[in-house]
């Protein structure tokens, strides 16, 4: 099975940028559609973005559309989430997830999850 590890989180001021990485090991990343999700304190986990195995299909939550960009580098076994124009409401733990098959927006459809990385946006 695939193991996932996120990195790149941190503290940033509103309007700033961060790039999250999700490194896969154990199986080729190219076998999986990848999703990014986030969970803020006291809130349910929510969908952020997803990208298909070959990057042909990409979907974003409305709340991040135009600010976040999801991508992947299959030879490097790494997926990315570029986050620009960050807002305090983007503060959350961000998770990457993998599933065999097509890209989906529902977290319950992903079998493999990373440990998460904290993103904090100060106002």
């Amino acid at each position: 099975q695939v193991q996932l590890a996120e990195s790149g989180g941190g503290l940033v001021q509103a309007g700033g940028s961060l790039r999250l990485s999700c490194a896969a090991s154990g199986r080729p990343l190219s076998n999986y559609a990848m999703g990014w999700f986030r969970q803020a304190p006291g809130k349910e986990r929510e969908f952020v973005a997803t990208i298909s195995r070959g990057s042909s299909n990409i979907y974003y939550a409305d709340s991040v559309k135009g600010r976040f960009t999801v991508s992947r580098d299959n030879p490097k076994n790494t997926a990315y989430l570029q986050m620009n124009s960050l807002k305090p409401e983007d503060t959350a733990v961000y998770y990457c997830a993998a599933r065999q098959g097509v890209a989906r927006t529902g977290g319950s459809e992903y079998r493999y999850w990373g440990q998460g990385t904290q993103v904090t946006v100060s106002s």
Side-chain angles (χ1 to χ4, degrees), residues 17-117:
S17 298
L18 283 174
R19 187 175 82 156
L20 305 184
S21 298
C22 175
S25 61
R27 290 287 188 272
L29 189 74
S30 57
N31 289 356
Y32 303 92
M34 299 298 297
W36 287 92
F37 296 82
R38 67 186 182 186
Q39 187 166 21
K43 295 189 175 181
E44 303 222 336
R45 181 181 62 199
E46 66 173 353
F47 165 74
V48 175
T50 185
I51 183 169
S52 60
R53 289 180 293 174
S55 303
S56 58
N57 294 308
I58 292 174
Y59 305 101
Y60 296 99
D62 288 343
S63 59
V64 308
K65 206 172 291 184
R67 300 188 298 121
F68 289 13
T69 302
V70 61
S71 63
R72 62 193 294 159
D73 187 335
N74 286 341
K76 292 186 177 180
N77 275 335
T78 304
Y80 304 97
L81 185 68
Q82 177 67 43
M83 307 186 294
N84 299 329
S85 303
L86 282 161
K87 306 174 180 180
E89 51 263 44
D90 294 319
T91 295
V93 177
Y94 283 72
Y95 299 90
C96 66
R99 71 181 305 276
Q100 293 179 304
V102 300
R104 298 286 192 195
T105 61
S108 61
E109 301 193 76
Y110 287 79
R111 180 175 182 182
Y112 305 103
W113 291 80
Q115 300 271 15
T117 185

